[in-house]
Amino acid sequence: MVDIISYAKVIEHERLLERLGDLRSVATTACREAPDLPASPVLVFTAATLLGDVYRLLSREPGARSLVRLDRRDRPSHRALVALLRDARLALDAFAWNHRDHDDDYGDEWLTFEGIEAFRDARRKVIPAY
């Protein structure tokens, strides 16, 4: 199912992907060093905040409830934290897939209200009777 979203959600998606990539790198390094030790409070706090932001973006998406929200007081292992961040990445990828212009109907990667309106405005200028 492909749904139309606002461009603000596209921007938020890209911002979250960038933050997630940076945090996954840190968590993966910590996991290599000590996979079964508890993650530091700062790492957990940062991950919990990011996962909360991801959940807010995805809350109305199919399967969003399966995304685990981490409590800032928890102390998961590095291995568990990396798995949570991997799941967040999968959920963000699913979000992008669900809101893509797969058929290239509107000339953009995403199906956004703003993109469709701009496409229609451009068509009106080229084809006045449209």
Side-chain angles (χ1 to χ4, degrees):
M1 176 171 78
V2 178
D3 294 319
I4 302 169
I5 57 173
S6 70
Y7 190 68
K9 287 189 176 194
V10 173
I11 297 297
E12 182 67 6
H13 174 270
E14 298 302 318
R15 189 178 69 80
L16 290 170
L17 267 183
E18 184 176 344
R19 287 175 54 204
L20 184 61
D22 293 344
L23 187 58
R24 280 184 69 196
S25 177
V26 170
T28 300
T29 299
C31 186
R32 270 191 236 115
E33 294 170 1
D36 296 318
L37 286 181
S40 73
V42 173
L43 184 55
V44 172
F45 181 85
T46 305
T49 301
L50 177 59
L51 291 171
D53 292 344
V54 169
Y55 185 80
R56 267 188 290 290
L57 175 67
L58 305 177
S59 64
R60 296 185 182 265
E61 296 294 310
R65 297 206 191 280
S66 64
L67 189 61
V68 173
R69 285 166 281 167
L70 182 62
D71 188 315
R72 291 175 173 96
R73 296 168 294 192
D74 287 348
R75 293 292 303 273
S77 69
H78 291 120
R79 185 185 322 264
L81 191 59
V82 167
L84 290 173
L85 296 174
R86 181 182 53 237
D87 287 351
R89 173 59 196 249
L90 289 171
L92 286 171
D93 289 348
F95 175 85
W97 179 259
N98 289 339
H99 301 289
R100 292 273 186 215
D101 183 6
H102 296 287
D103 298 323
D104 200 27
D105 290 336
Y106 297 101
D108 195 7
E109 290 180 34
W110 294 88
L111 278 177
T112 63
F113 296 112
E114 297 86 351
I116 292 171
E117 187 61 31
F119 177 81
R120 288 181 176 156
D121 285 346
R123 297 268 312 200
R124 283 186 201 110
K125 292 176 185 171
V126 175
I127 307 169
Y130 179 70

